[in-house]
PDB file of all heavy atoms in Angstrom:
ATOM      1  N   ASP A  50     167.991  14.207 153.749  1.00 94.00           N
ATOM      2  CA  ASP A  50     166.704  14.729 153.290  1.00 94.00           C
ATOM      3  C   ASP A  50     166.890  15.932 152.383  1.00 94.00           C
ATOM      4  O   ASP A  50     166.228  16.103 151.366  1.00 94.00           O
ATOM      5  CB  ASP A  50     165.797  15.067 154.458  1.00 94.00           C
ATOM      6  CG  ASP A  50     164.992  13.884 154.952  1.00 94.00           C
ATOM      7  OD1 ASP A  50     165.022  12.819 154.278  1.00 94.00           O
ATOM      8  OD2 ASP A  50     164.289  14.021 155.943  1.00 94.00           O
ATOM      9  N   GLU A  51     167.818  16.794 152.778  1.00 95.00           N
ATOM     10  CA  GLU A  51     168.123  17.991 151.957  1.00 95.00           C
ATOM     11  C   GLU A  51     168.662  17.593 150.611  1.00 95.00           C
ATOM     12  O   GLU A  51     168.315  18.163 149.540  1.00 95.00           O
ATOM     13  CB  GLU A  51     169.051  18.938 152.639  1.00 95.00           C
ATOM     14  CG  GLU A  51     168.450  19.629 153.880  1.00 95.00           C
ATOM     15  CD  GLU A  51     169.461  20.586 154.548  1.00 95.00           C
ATOM     16  OE1 GLU A  51     170.541  20.791 154.022  1.00 95.00           O
ATOM     17  OE2 GLU A  51     169.059  21.090 155.606  1.00 95.00           O
ATOM     18  N   ILE A  52     169.517  16.556 150.603  1.00 96.00           N
ATOM     19  CA  ILE A  52     170.083  16.070 149.345  1.00 96.00           C
ATOM     20  C   ILE A  52     168.966  15.481 148.465  1.00 96.00           C
ATOM     21  O   ILE A  52     168.899  15.762 147.296  1.00 96.00           O
ATOM     22  CB  ILE A  52     171.114  14.939 149.644  1.00 96.00           C
ATOM     23  CG1 ILE A  52     172.331  15.558 150.325  1.00 96.00           C
ATOM     24  CG2 ILE A  52     171.541  14.270 148.317  1.00 96.00           C
ATOM     25  CD1 ILE A  52     173.354  14.504 150.841  1.00 96.00           C
ATOM     26  N   SER A  53     168.078  14.746 149.083  1.00 95.00           N
ATOM     27  CA  SER A  53     166.941  14.135 148.329  1.00 95.00           C
ATOM     28  C   SER A  53     166.083  15.212 147.686  1.00 95.00           C
ATOM     29  O   SER A  53     165.675  15.073 146.514  1.00 95.00           O
ATOM     30  CB  SER A  53     166.094  13.255 149.248  1.00 95.00           C
ATOM     31  OG  SER A  53     166.781  12.168 149.729  1.00 95.00           O
ATOM     32  N   HIS A  54     165.798  16.285 148.448  1.00 94.00           N
ATOM     33  CA  HIS A  54     164.967  17.346 147.947  1.00 94.00           C
ATOM     34  C   HIS A  54     165.607  18.021 146.727  1.00 94.00           C
ATOM     35  O   HIS A  54     164.953  18.344 145.741  1.00 94.00           O
ATOM     36  CB  HIS A  54     164.717  18.411 149.047  1.00 94.00           C
ATOM     37  CG  HIS A  54     163.845  17.913 150.131  1.00 94.00           C
ATOM     38  ND1 HIS A  54     163.657  18.571 151.326  1.00 94.00           N
ATOM     39  CD2 HIS A  54     162.997  16.846 150.196  1.00 94.00           C
ATOM     40  CE1 HIS A  54     162.767  17.905 152.113  1.00 94.00           C
ATOM     41  NE2 HIS A  54     162.385  16.846 151.426  1.00 94.00           N
ATOM     42  N   THR A  55     166.929  18.192 146.838  1.00 95.00           N
ATOM     43  CA  THR A  55     167.651  18.813 145.700  1.00 95.00           C
ATOM     44  C   THR A  55     167.618  17.887 144.482  1.00 95.00           C
ATOM     45  O   THR A  55     167.403  18.331 143.320  1.00 95.00           O
ATOM     46  CB  THR A  55     169.129  19.081 146.074  1.00 95.00           C
ATOM     47  OG1 THR A  55     169.131  19.992 147.174  1.00 95.00           O
ATOM     48  CG2 THR A  55     169.893  19.673 144.903  1.00 95.00           C
ATOM     49  N   LEU A  56     167.790  16.608 144.690  1.00 95.00           N
ATOM     50  CA  LEU A  56     167.783  15.637 143.602  1.00 95.00           C
ATOM     51  C   LEU A  56     166.446  15.559 142.853  1.00 95.00           C
ATOM     52  O   LEU A  56     166.374  15.215 141.677  1.00 95.00           O
ATOM     53  CB  LEU A  56     168.172  14.242 144.114  1.00 95.00           C
ATOM     54  CG  LEU A  56     169.619  14.081 144.580  1.00 95.00           C
ATOM     55  CD1 LEU A  56     169.785  12.706 145.255  1.00 95.00           C
ATOM     56  CD2 LEU A  56     170.616  14.247 143.451  1.00 95.00           C
ATOM     57  N   LEU A  57     165.391  15.872 143.602  1.00 95.00           N
ATOM     58  CA  LEU A  57     164.038  15.809 143.038  1.00 95.00           C
ATOM     59  C   LEU A  57     163.604  17.100 142.367  1.00 95.00           C
ATOM     60  O   LEU A  57     162.421  17.206 141.948  1.00 95.00           O
ATOM     61  CB  LEU A  57     163.039  15.434 144.155  1.00 95.00           C
ATOM     62  CG  LEU A  57     163.082  13.970 144.624  1.00 95.00           C
ATOM     63  CD1 LEU A  57     162.238  13.774 145.852  1.00 95.00           C
ATOM     64  CD2 LEU A  57     162.699  12.991 143.505  1.00 95.00           C
ATOM     65  N   GLU A  58     164.511  18.066 142.274  1.00 94.00           N
ATOM     66  CA  GLU A  58     164.163  19.299 141.594  1.00 94.00           C
ATOM     67  C   GLU A  58     164.331  19.115 140.061  1.00 94.00           C
ATOM     68  O   GLU A  58     165.170  18.332 139.635  1.00 94.00           O
ATOM     69  CB  GLU A  58     165.069  20.425 142.101  1.00 94.00           C
ATOM     70  CG  GLU A  58     164.760  20.815 143.536  1.00 94.00           C
ATOM     71  CD  GLU A  58     165.737  21.923 144.064  1.00 94.00           C
ATOM     72  OE1 GLU A  58     166.669  22.257 143.295  1.00 94.00           O
ATOM     73  OE2 GLU A  58     165.600  22.336 145.197  1.00 94.00           O
ATOM     74  N   PRO A  59     163.528  19.879 139.296  1.00 93.00           N
ATOM     75  CA  PRO A  59     163.634  19.777 137.835  1.00 93.00           C
ATOM     76  C   PRO A  59     165.058  20.018 137.364  1.00 93.00           C
ATOM     77  O   PRO A  59     165.784  20.854 137.890  1.00 93.00           O
ATOM     78  CB  PRO A  59     162.708  20.886 137.352  1.00 93.00           C
ATOM     79  CG  PRO A  59     161.700  21.023 138.431  1.00 93.00           C
ATOM     80  CD  PRO A  59     162.448  20.805 139.692  1.00 93.00           C
ATOM     81  N   GLY A  60     165.480  19.234 136.377  1.00 90.00           N
ATOM     82  CA  GLY A  60     166.835  19.377 135.821  1.00 90.00           C
ATOM     83  C   GLY A  60     167.781  18.295 136.293  1.00 90.00           C
ATOM     84  O   GLY A  60     168.781  18.033 135.626  1.00 90.00           O
ATOM     85  N   HIS A  61     167.475  17.652 137.423  1.00 93.00           N
ATOM     86  CA  HIS A  61     168.277  16.544 137.921  1.00 93.00           C
ATOM     87  C   HIS A  61     167.856  15.207 137.289  1.00 93.00           C
ATOM     88  O   HIS A  61     166.696  15.022 136.994  1.00 93.00           O
ATOM     89  CB  HIS A  61     168.215  16.446 139.444  1.00 93.00           C
ATOM     90  CG  HIS A  61     168.967  17.521 140.135  1.00 93.00           C
ATOM     91  ND1 HIS A  61     170.263  17.418 140.492  1.00 93.00           N
ATOM     92  CD2 HIS A  61     168.541  18.775 140.567  1.00 93.00           C
ATOM     93  CE1 HIS A  61     170.696  18.537 141.086  1.00 93.00           C
ATOM     94  NE2 HIS A  61     169.672  19.347 141.158  1.00 93.00           N
ATOM     95  N   ALA A  62     168.828  14.341 137.055  1.00 94.00           N
ATOM     96  CA  ALA A  62     168.495  13.029 136.469  1.00 94.00           C
ATOM     97  C   ALA A  62     167.555  12.251 137.340  1.00 94.00           C
ATOM     98  O   ALA A  62     166.667  11.488 136.814  1.00 94.00           O
ATOM     99  CB  ALA A  62     169.801  12.241 136.271  1.00 94.00           C
ATOM    100  N   VAL A  63     167.690  12.390 138.657  1.00 95.00           N
ATOM    101  CA  VAL A  63     166.794  11.674 139.569  1.00 95.00           C
ATOM    102  C   VAL A  63     165.342  12.150 139.383  1.00 95.00           C
ATOM    103  O   VAL A  63     164.395  11.338 139.339  1.00 95.00           O
ATOM    104  CB  VAL A  63     167.219  11.861 141.034  1.00 95.00           C
ATOM    105  CG1 VAL A  63     166.112  11.368 141.987  1.00 95.00           C
ATOM    106  CG2 VAL A  63     168.530  11.147 141.299  1.00 95.00           C
ATOM    107  N   TYR A  64     165.177  13.430 139.211  1.00 95.00           N
ATOM    108  CA  TYR A  64     163.800  14.001 138.926  1.00 95.00           C
ATOM    109  C   TYR A  64     163.219  13.333 137.705  1.00 95.00           C
ATOM    110  O   TYR A  64     162.083  12.897 137.680  1.00 95.00           O
ATOM    111  CB  TYR A  64     163.937  15.498 138.711  1.00 95.00           C
ATOM    112  CG  TYR A  64     162.706  16.171 138.120  1.00 95.00           C
ATOM    113  CD1 TYR A  64     161.682  16.687 138.917  1.00 95.00           C
ATOM    114  CD2 TYR A  64     162.568  16.314 136.732  1.00 95.00           C
ATOM    115  CE1 TYR A  64     160.596  17.274 138.349  1.00 95.00           C
ATOM    116  CE2 TYR A  64     161.485  16.930 136.176  1.00 95.00           C
ATOM    117  CZ  TYR A  64     160.460  17.380 136.971  1.00 95.00           C
ATOM    118  OH  TYR A  64     159.381  17.994 136.427  1.00 95.00           O
ATOM    119  N   LYS A  65     163.989  13.264 136.618  1.00 95.00           N
ATOM    120  CA  LYS A  65     163.531  12.676 135.363  1.00 95.00           C
ATOM    121  C   LYS A  65     163.176  11.204 135.543  1.00 95.00           C
ATOM    122  O   LYS A  65     162.133  10.751 135.038  1.00 95.00           O
ATOM    123  CB  LYS A  65     164.578  12.839 134.267  1.00 95.00           C
ATOM    124  CG  LYS A  65     164.826  14.254 133.877  1.00 95.00           C
ATOM    125  CD  LYS A  65     165.975  14.367 132.850  1.00 95.00           C
ATOM    126  CE  LYS A  65     166.310  15.835 132.533  1.00 95.00           C
ATOM    127  NZ  LYS A  65     167.458  15.938 131.614  1.00 95.00           N
ATOM    128  N   ASN A  66     164.007  10.507 136.262  1.00 95.00           N
ATOM    129  CA  ASN A  66     163.760   9.081 136.507  1.00 95.00           C
ATOM    130  C   ASN A  66     162.517   8.799 137.341  1.00 95.00           C
ATOM    131  O   ASN A  66     161.711   7.886 137.077  1.00 95.00           O
ATOM    132  CB  ASN A  66     164.961   8.392 137.208  1.00 95.00           C
ATOM    133  CG  ASN A  66     166.163   8.292 136.295  1.00 95.00           C
ATOM    134  OD1 ASN A  66     166.006   8.329 135.085  1.00 95.00           O
ATOM    135  ND2 ASN A  66     167.331   8.155 136.852  1.00 95.00           N
ATOM    136  N   VAL A  67     162.288   9.653 138.340  1.00 95.00           N
ATOM    137  CA  VAL A  67     161.113   9.513 139.191  1.00 95.00           C
ATOM    138  C   VAL A  67     159.825   9.840 138.398  1.00 95.00           C
ATOM    139  O   VAL A  67     158.845   9.109 138.479  1.00 95.00           O
ATOM    140  CB  VAL A  67     161.209  10.420 140.423  1.00 95.00           C
ATOM    141  CG1 VAL A  67     159.906  10.495 141.203  1.00 95.00           C
ATOM    142  CG2 VAL A  67     162.313   9.973 141.357  1.00 95.00           C
ATOM    143  N   VAL A  68     159.857  10.888 137.596  1.00 95.00           N
ATOM    144  CA  VAL A  68     158.699  11.240 136.758  1.00 95.00           C
ATOM    145  C   VAL A  68     158.438  10.157 135.762  1.00 95.00           C
ATOM    146  O   VAL A  68     157.271   9.757 135.521  1.00 95.00           O
ATOM    147  CB  VAL A  68     158.885  12.608 136.085  1.00 95.00           C
ATOM    148  CG1 VAL A  68     157.721  12.887 135.117  1.00 95.00           C
ATOM    149  CG2 VAL A  68     159.023  13.716 137.099  1.00 95.00           C
ATOM    150  N   ASN A  69     159.452   9.622 135.154  1.00 95.00           N
ATOM    151  CA  ASN A  69     159.316   8.498 134.151  1.00 95.00           C
ATOM    152  C   ASN A  69     158.666   7.292 134.838  1.00 95.00           C
ATOM    153  O   ASN A  69     157.870   6.571 134.263  1.00 95.00           O
ATOM    154  CB  ASN A  69     160.608   8.151 133.545  1.00 95.00           C
ATOM    155  CG  ASN A  69     161.103   9.152 132.534  1.00 95.00           C
ATOM    156  OD1 ASN A  69     160.304   9.923 132.020  1.00 95.00           O
ATOM    157  ND2 ASN A  69     162.412   9.142 132.308  1.00 95.00           N
ATOM    158  N   LYS A  70     159.099   7.032 136.071  1.00 93.00           N
ATOM    159  CA  LYS A  70     158.622   5.808 136.808  1.00 93.00           C
ATOM    160  C   LYS A  70     157.163   6.008 137.324  1.00 93.00           C
ATOM    161  O   LYS A  70     156.365   5.034 137.243  1.00 93.00           O
ATOM    162  CB  LYS A  70     159.546   5.541 137.977  1.00 93.00           C
ATOM    163  CG  LYS A  70     159.212   4.300 138.786  1.00 93.00           C
ATOM    164  CD  LYS A  70     159.372   3.007 138.021  1.00 93.00           C
ATOM    165  CE  LYS A  70     160.851   2.751 137.781  1.00 93.00           C
ATOM    166  NZ  LYS A  70     161.063   1.430 137.110  1.00 93.00           N
ATOM    167  N   PHE A  71     156.835   7.218 137.825  1.00 93.00           N
ATOM    168  CA  PHE A  71     155.538   7.333 138.474  1.00 93.00           C
ATOM    169  C   PHE A  71     154.543   8.181 137.654  1.00 93.00           C
ATOM    170  O   PHE A  71     153.341   8.277 138.059  1.00 93.00           O
ATOM    171  CB  PHE A  71     155.733   7.958 139.871  1.00 93.00           C
ATOM    172  CG  PHE A  71     156.514   7.064 140.816  1.00 93.00           C
ATOM    173  CD1 PHE A  71     157.860   7.293 141.058  1.00 93.00           C
ATOM    174  CD2 PHE A  71     155.853   5.979 141.447  1.00 93.00           C
ATOM    175  CE1 PHE A  71     158.550   6.471 141.931  1.00 93.00           C
ATOM    176  CE2 PHE A  71     156.602   5.150 142.272  1.00 93.00           C
ATOM    177  CZ  PHE A  71     157.937   5.416 142.506  1.00 93.00           C
ATOM    178  N   GLY A  72     154.982   8.767 136.578  1.00 92.00           N
ATOM    179  CA  GLY A  72     154.082   9.514 135.767  1.00 92.00           C
ATOM    180  C   GLY A  72     153.950  11.039 136.103  1.00 92.00           C
ATOM    181  O   GLY A  72     154.316  11.445 137.194  1.00 92.00           O
TER     182      GLY A  72
END
Side-chain angles (χ1 to χ4, degrees):
D50 272 354
E51 290 181 6
I52 293 171
S53 296
H54 289 167
T55 300
L56 292 172
L57 287 170
E58 291 175 358
H61 286 272
V63 169
Y64 166 91
K65 294 176 183 176
N66 289 339
V67 169
V68 174
N69 287 339
K70 181 68 70 175
F71 295 101

